[in-house]
Amino acid sequence: MARYPLPELKDLPDDIRAKVLEVQEKAGFVPTVFLALARRPAEWRAFFAYHDALMLKEDSGLSKGDREMIVTTTSAANKCLYCVVAHGAILRIYEKKPLVADQVSVNYRKADITPRQKAMLDFAMKVCLKSDEIGDDDFTALQAHGFTDEDAWDIAAITAFFGLSNRMASFSNMLPNPEFYLMGRVAKAK
């Protein structure tokens, strides 16, 4: 059970309620994170503004699947149940691969992903675990797979942002919605 009670939808500020209802309409449920963080509206707005700037970015060398793969892999390294399950579900959908989230969360080096994605995750994991050791060789390894310096920034920013998210979810005992567990694994009911 979460350490902090989730606010009621009816009690949220109008702008936050509208966004939560939009997500509910699209997903069919309200992901816990939207309510858990809404207990502090100003922080909710800042969190989701940065989330959207990173994850919905149009002019990036990273696909939506790449971004979710970074989140799932680094969240596993940070032992964040909520983010591994929730973003793993989104990853399975974007990549159309029901096994990929399990593979990258346990050992991305043995996962059924491209060499380009492995290089991306090598960089993300170094940012996640040893950012103080990032050097020119790390950028060179990315460039060998077609990544630009801007792509490297995106990989690092996603990794860092979800480091914050992982810690907030873990300390507050935020649990994933049951709906996430089957998403992208079984055909959606019509």
Side-chain angles (χ1 to χ4, degrees), residues 33-93:
V33 67
F34 284 88
L35 294 176
L37 297 180
R39 62 187 307 279
R40 293 191 170 188
E43 293 172 27
W44 187 100
R45 291 179 188 103
F47 180 92
F48 283 105
Y50 195 38
H51 172 278
D52 291 355
L54 294 171
M55 300 304 283
L56 304 178
K57 187 175 183 177
E58 296 292 328
D59 60 339
S60 174
L62 305 179
S63 70
K64 289 180 179 182
D66 290 340
R67 288 177 248 184
E68 295 297 340
M69 192 176 293
I70 293 165
V71 176
T72 303
T73 305
T74 60
S75 294
N78 290 328
K79 298 178 176 55
C80 180
L81 176 65
Y82 185 90
C83 291
V84 169
V85 172
H87 290 276
I90 300 166
L91 170 59
R92 289 189 297 271
I93 290 167

XYZ file of all heavy atoms in Angstrom, residues 33-93:
476
model
N 0.819 6.890 -10.860
C 1.727 8.028 -10.761
C 0.997 9.357 -10.932
O 1.351 10.351 -10.296
C 2.907 7.901 -11.761
C 2.437 8.011 -13.201
C 3.998 8.898 -11.436
N -0.027 9.391 -11.757
C -0.744 10.644 -11.998
C -1.457 11.139 -10.747
O -1.549 12.342 -10.522
C -1.739 10.494 -13.160
C -1.066 10.496 -14.492
C -0.601 9.324 -15.052
C -0.869 11.679 -15.191
C 0.044 9.316 -16.274
C -0.228 11.688 -16.419
C 0.235 10.499 -16.958
N -1.961 10.223 -9.949
C -2.625 10.615 -8.706
C -1.612 10.787 -7.574
O -1.729 11.716 -6.773
C -3.686 9.591 -8.315
C -4.871 9.492 -9.276
C -5.814 8.373 -8.842
C -5.615 10.821 -9.369
N -0.631 9.913 -7.500
C 0.343 9.967 -6.410
C 1.068 11.316 -6.378
O 1.240 11.911 -5.308
C 1.341 8.823 -6.528
N 1.477 11.795 -7.538
C 2.211 13.059 -7.581
C 1.292 14.279 -7.495
O 1.761 15.384 -7.199
C 3.079 13.124 -8.839
C 4.180 12.059 -8.926
C 4.966 12.236 -10.216
C 5.099 12.091 -7.722
N 0.005 14.090 -7.716
C -0.949 15.212 -7.703
C -1.177 15.766 -6.304
O -1.776 16.826 -6.154
C -2.273 14.788 -8.328
N -0.671 15.095 -5.293
C -0.813 15.615 -3.934
C -0.064 16.940 -3.788
O -0.306 17.702 -2.859
C -0.355 14.586 -2.901
C 1.099 14.184 -2.981
C 1.463 13.037 -2.037
N 1.075 13.283 -0.665
C 1.785 14.018 0.182
N 2.921 14.572 -0.209
N 1.368 14.190 1.413
N 0.858 17.208 -4.707
C 1.593 18.472 -4.736
C 1.489 19.027 -6.158
O 2.334 18.747 -7.016
C 3.045 18.257 -4.350
C 3.193 17.849 -2.884
C 4.612 17.900 -2.470
N 4.742 17.746 -1.045
C 5.884 17.901 -0.415
N 6.973 18.202 -1.081
N 5.937 17.731 0.882
N 0.442 19.811 -6.415
C 0.147 20.251 -7.790
C 1.299 20.953 -8.519
O 1.527 20.679 -9.693
C -1.063 21.173 -7.627
C -1.747 20.634 -6.397
C -0.625 20.212 -5.488
N 2.024 21.821 -7.860
C 3.113 22.531 -8.550
C 4.199 21.537 -8.992
O 4.730 21.643 -10.101
C 3.709 23.610 -7.653
N 4.503 20.572 -8.145
C 5.497 19.564 -8.495
C 4.973 18.646 -9.595
O 5.720 18.241 -10.487
C 5.896 18.759 -7.257
C 6.643 19.604 -6.239
C 6.879 18.900 -4.922
O 6.943 17.647 -4.896
O 7.000 19.605 -3.902
N 3.676 18.319 -9.559
C 3.049 17.505 -10.599
C 3.226 18.183 -11.953
O 3.639 17.551 -12.927
C 1.561 17.315 -10.294
C 0.840 16.367 -11.188
C 0.529 15.072 -10.918
C 0.304 16.628 -12.501
N -0.152 14.505 -11.983
C -0.304 15.448 -12.960
C 0.281 17.746 -13.335
C -0.928 15.358 -14.207
C -0.326 17.649 -14.574
C -0.924 16.468 -14.996
N 2.907 19.475 -11.997
C 3.007 20.218 -13.262
C 4.441 20.236 -13.780
O 4.685 20.032 -14.972
C 2.480 21.631 -13.072
C 0.984 21.702 -12.855
C 0.509 23.154 -12.649
N -0.878 23.184 -12.273
C -1.328 23.391 -11.024
N -0.463 23.628 -10.036
N -2.620 23.382 -10.766
N 5.406 20.475 -12.896
C 6.810 20.512 -13.315
C 7.276 19.124 -13.778
O 7.940 19.003 -14.808
C 7.681 21.005 -12.158
N 6.908 18.101 -13.034
C 7.293 16.731 -13.370
C 6.773 16.350 -14.751
O 7.538 15.892 -15.604
C 6.743 15.770 -12.304
C 7.076 14.320 -12.541
C 8.220 13.766 -11.987
C 6.242 13.510 -13.289
C 8.536 12.425 -12.191
C 6.544 12.165 -13.500
C 7.697 11.619 -12.951
N 5.482 16.549 -14.979
C 4.921 16.117 -16.259
C 5.305 17.029 -17.414
O 5.365 16.572 -18.560
C 3.403 15.887 -16.144
C 3.107 14.583 -15.458
C 2.669 14.549 -14.149
C 3.340 13.377 -16.105
C 2.446 13.339 -13.501
C 3.122 12.168 -15.472
C 2.669 12.141 -14.166
N 5.624 18.282 -17.142
C 6.132 19.147 -18.217
C 7.484 18.621 -18.699
O 7.727 18.522 -19.910
C 6.248 20.589 -17.739
N 8.352 18.256 -17.763
C 9.659 17.729 -18.160
C 9.512 16.333 -18.767
O 10.151 16.021 -19.775
C 10.626 17.732 -16.971
C 12.081 17.556 -17.364
C 12.602 18.154 -18.512
C 12.936 16.803 -16.588
C 13.932 17.988 -18.876
C 14.274 16.640 -16.945
C 14.762 17.228 -18.084
O 16.082 17.054 -18.444
N 8.662 15.513 -18.172
C 8.391 14.183 -18.739
C 7.987 14.310 -20.202
O 8.535 13.648 -21.081
C 7.286 13.488 -17.945
C 6.804 12.217 -18.562
N 5.875 12.201 -19.595
C 7.136 10.931 -18.328
C 5.664 10.942 -19.958
N 6.400 10.154 -19.206
N 7.018 15.167 -20.470
C 6.514 15.310 -21.836
C 7.573 15.885 -22.768
O 7.664 15.483 -23.931
C 5.245 16.168 -21.851
C 4.065 15.470 -21.192
O 4.174 14.277 -20.804
O 3.011 16.125 -21.023
N 8.390 16.818 -22.266
C 9.452 17.397 -23.093
C 10.443 16.312 -23.531
O 10.950 16.348 -24.650
C 10.173 18.511 -22.335
N 10.693 15.348 -22.665
C 11.632 14.270 -22.990
C 10.988 13.138 -23.778
O 11.555 12.647 -24.751
C 12.217 13.677 -21.699
C 13.105 14.580 -20.870
C 13.420 13.911 -19.538
C 14.381 14.913 -21.626
N 9.824 12.711 -23.340
C 9.237 11.473 -23.864
C 8.353 11.682 -25.087
O 8.104 10.741 -25.833
C 8.465 10.762 -22.753
C 9.341 10.389 -21.557
S 10.772 9.366 -21.955
C 9.968 7.778 -22.165
N 7.896 12.899 -25.308
C 7.035 13.181 -26.464
C 7.751 14.028 -27.512
O 7.125 14.502 -28.458
C 5.745 13.885 -26.011
C 4.925 13.146 -24.958
C 3.699 13.969 -24.566
C 4.521 11.763 -25.429
N 9.029 14.188 -27.350
C 9.846 15.020 -28.242
C 9.766 14.492 -29.670
O 9.957 13.309 -29.917
C 11.285 14.982 -27.725
C 12.228 15.900 -28.424
C 13.584 15.851 -27.742
C 14.510 16.828 -28.409
N 15.794 16.873 -27.740
N 9.506 15.385 -30.586
C 9.369 15.011 -32.000
C 10.704 14.971 -32.729
O 10.943 14.109 -33.554
C 8.423 15.998 -32.710
C 6.996 15.968 -32.194
C 6.255 14.672 -32.502
O 6.539 14.064 -33.560
O 5.421 14.269 -31.683
N 11.580 15.929 -32.442
C 12.837 16.057 -33.189
C 13.979 15.370 -32.440
O 14.886 16.004 -31.937
C 13.162 17.524 -33.452
C 13.324 18.336 -32.176
O 12.811 17.914 -31.123
O 13.982 19.388 -32.229
N 13.914 14.057 -32.402
C 14.922 13.283 -31.679
C 15.359 12.103 -32.540
O 14.574 11.576 -33.321
C 14.331 12.769 -30.359
O 15.233 11.910 -29.700
N 16.597 11.690 -32.360
C 17.090 10.494 -33.026
C 16.655 9.226 -32.309
O 17.005 8.128 -32.735
N 15.902 9.386 -31.235
C 15.410 8.249 -30.470
C 13.942 8.005 -30.788
O 13.140 8.943 -30.791
C 15.541 8.502 -28.966
C 16.909 8.873 -28.422
C 16.828 9.098 -26.911
C 17.936 7.813 -28.747
N 13.605 6.764 -31.027
C 12.187 6.428 -31.228
C 11.488 6.385 -29.878
O 12.138 6.386 -28.819
C 12.082 5.046 -31.903
O 12.471 4.025 -30.986
N 10.164 6.313 -29.902
C 9.413 6.168 -28.650
C 9.807 4.867 -27.953
O 9.932 4.819 -26.730
C 7.915 6.204 -28.922
C 7.414 7.571 -29.322
C 5.919 7.562 -29.589
C 5.443 8.955 -29.960
N 3.989 8.996 -30.191
N 10.017 3.820 -28.733
C 10.457 2.555 -28.161
C 11.837 2.670 -27.518
O 12.061 2.121 -26.436
N 12.756 3.382 -28.176
C 14.087 3.598 -27.602
C 13.973 4.272 -26.240
O 14.627 3.878 -25.272
C 14.958 4.491 -28.498
C 15.413 3.849 -29.790
O 15.397 2.602 -29.891
O 15.787 4.610 -30.707
N 13.151 5.308 -26.164
C 12.999 6.058 -24.915
C 12.452 5.171 -23.804
O 12.944 5.194 -22.672
C 12.113 7.274 -25.135
C 12.829 8.343 -25.947
C 11.946 9.509 -26.231
N 11.702 9.489 -27.670
C 11.032 10.391 -28.330
N 10.470 11.393 -27.705
N 10.892 10.293 -29.630
N 11.447 4.368 -24.137
C 10.875 3.474 -23.126
C 11.864 2.378 -22.740
O 11.887 1.924 -21.594
C 9.557 2.872 -23.618
C 8.447 3.888 -23.809
C 7.995 4.604 -22.543
O 8.242 4.105 -21.422
O 7.374 5.681 -22.667
N 12.707 1.968 -23.681
C 13.731 0.965 -23.388
C 14.747 1.525 -22.390
O 15.178 0.822 -21.467
C 14.414 0.531 -24.690
C 15.279 -0.692 -24.547
S 15.964 -1.233 -26.143
C 14.473 -1.757 -27.005
N 15.127 2.779 -22.567
C 16.031 3.435 -21.621
C 15.393 3.466 -20.234
O 16.026 3.117 -19.234
C 16.381 4.866 -22.089
C 17.210 4.833 -23.365
C 17.091 5.647 -20.982
C 17.288 6.162 -24.088
N 14.134 3.878 -20.170
C 13.439 3.964 -18.878
C 13.364 2.594 -18.218
O 13.675 2.453 -17.024
C 12.023 4.558 -19.042
C 11.285 4.552 -17.706
C 12.075 5.961 -19.627
N 12.967 1.583 -18.962
C 12.792 0.246 -18.386
C 14.126 -0.308 -17.888
O 14.215 -0.833 -16.770
C 12.163 -0.702 -19.424
O 10.922 -0.147 -19.863
C 11.908 -2.079 -18.841
N 15.161 -0.176 -18.682
C 16.469 -0.720 -18.327
C 17.066 -0.012 -17.116
O 17.532 -0.671 -16.172
C 17.416 -0.635 -19.538
O 16.814 -1.300 -20.649
C 18.768 -1.274 -19.236
N 17.074 1.306 -17.128
C 17.684 2.037 -16.009
C 16.818 1.957 -14.757
O 17.342 1.946 -13.646
C 17.995 3.498 -16.384
O 16.786 4.184 -16.744
C 19.003 3.571 -17.523
N 15.508 1.866 -14.920
C 14.630 1.701 -13.757
C 14.864 0.357 -13.087
O 14.772 0.240 -11.860
C 13.159 1.848 -14.165
O 12.881 3.163 -14.597
N 15.180 -0.658 -13.880
C 15.519 -1.959 -13.300
C 16.813 -1.850 -12.491
O 16.909 -2.401 -11.390
C 15.640 -3.014 -14.396
N 17.790 -1.118 -13.025
C 19.043 -0.926 -12.287
C 18.795 -0.194 -10.973
O 19.474 -0.444 -9.974
C 20.042 -0.149 -13.146
N 17.799 0.684 -10.971
C 17.435 1.435 -9.765
C 16.415 0.693 -8.904
O 15.952 1.227 -7.904
C 16.886 2.813 -10.149
C 17.966 3.719 -10.693
O 19.120 3.643 -10.299
N 17.604 4.582 -11.634
N 16.038 -0.512 -9.334
C 15.103 -1.372 -8.599
C 13.751 -0.710 -8.359
O 13.154 -0.833 -7.283
C 15.731 -1.835 -7.278
C 16.973 -2.673 -7.467
C 17.573 -3.072 -6.143
C 18.751 -3.986 -6.266
N 19.842 -3.558 -7.069
N 13.248 -0.040 -9.370
C 11.956 0.632 -9.267
C 10.865 -0.233 -9.895
O 10.719 -0.274 -11.121
C 11.993 1.995 -9.949
S 10.402 2.855 -9.835
N 10.110 -0.907 -9.062
C 9.041 -1.785 -9.537
C 8.038 -1.024 -10.395
O 7.670 -1.480 -11.479
C 8.337 -2.452 -8.350
C 7.139 -3.333 -8.711
C 7.585 -4.534 -9.525
C 6.412 -3.765 -7.441
N 7.580 0.127 -9.917
C 6.554 0.864 -10.653
C 7.006 1.156 -12.085
O 6.300 0.856 -13.044
C 6.180 2.182 -9.949
C 5.029 2.859 -10.668
C 3.716 2.586 -10.318
C 5.255 3.717 -11.736
C 2.652 3.156 -11.012
C 4.204 4.292 -12.439
C 2.913 4.007 -12.066
O 1.862 4.560 -12.767
N 8.178 1.732 -12.233
C 8.620 2.165 -13.562
C 8.976 0.990 -14.472
O 8.728 1.049 -15.676
C 9.784 3.142 -13.455
S 9.281 4.735 -12.748
N 9.535 -0.077 -13.923
C 9.830 -1.252 -14.749
C 8.535 -1.834 -15.305
O 8.433 -2.128 -16.499
C 10.615 -2.320 -13.960
C 10.684 -3.639 -14.730
C 12.024 -1.828 -13.646
N 7.532 -1.965 -14.460
C 6.271 -2.567 -14.904
C 5.521 -1.622 -15.847
O 5.092 -2.025 -16.932
C 5.400 -2.976 -13.694
C 4.014 -3.424 -14.138
C 6.087 -4.082 -12.894
N 5.366 -0.364 -15.457
C 4.591 0.579 -16.270
C 5.273 0.881 -17.603
O 4.650 0.792 -18.668
C 4.357 1.871 -15.484
N 6.540 1.221 -17.560
C 7.235 1.564 -18.807
C 7.601 0.326 -19.612
O 7.704 0.396 -20.835
C 8.431 2.462 -18.520
C 7.994 3.815 -18.088
N 7.652 4.801 -18.974
C 7.778 4.317 -16.852
C 7.250 5.869 -18.313
N 7.316 5.605 -17.011
N 7.744 -0.800 -18.933
C 7.923 -2.058 -19.661
C 6.705 -2.376 -20.501
O 6.828 -2.866 -21.642
N 5.520 -2.082 -19.982
C 4.287 -2.299 -20.746
C 4.265 -1.422 -21.996
O 3.949 -1.885 -23.098
C 3.071 -2.005 -19.864
N 4.629 -0.166 -21.822
C 4.636 0.760 -22.958
C 5.707 0.331 -23.971
O 5.477 0.381 -25.184
C 4.850 2.203 -22.469
C 3.716 2.611 -21.509
C 4.924 3.170 -23.647
C 4.000 3.875 -20.715
N 6.844 -0.115 -23.465
C 7.919 -0.605 -24.344
C 7.436 -1.783 -25.190
O 7.672 -1.819 -26.394
C 9.135 -1.025 -23.505
C 10.253 -1.772 -24.231
C 10.831 -0.939 -25.370
C 11.338 -2.170 -23.237
N 6.761 -2.735 -24.570
C 6.261 -3.897 -25.324
C 5.331 -3.456 -26.450
O 5.375 -3.994 -27.559
C 5.519 -4.862 -24.384
C 6.420 -5.608 -23.438
C 5.687 -6.710 -22.683
N 4.624 -6.246 -21.821
C 4.774 -5.883 -20.549
N 5.962 -5.915 -19.985
N 3.732 -5.489 -19.842
N 4.506 -2.465 -26.173
C 3.552 -1.975 -27.177
C 4.297 -1.265 -28.320
O 4.061 -1.559 -29.488
C 2.509 -1.061 -26.516
C 1.597 -1.906 -25.621
C 1.700 -0.297 -27.571
C 0.738 -1.104 -24.672
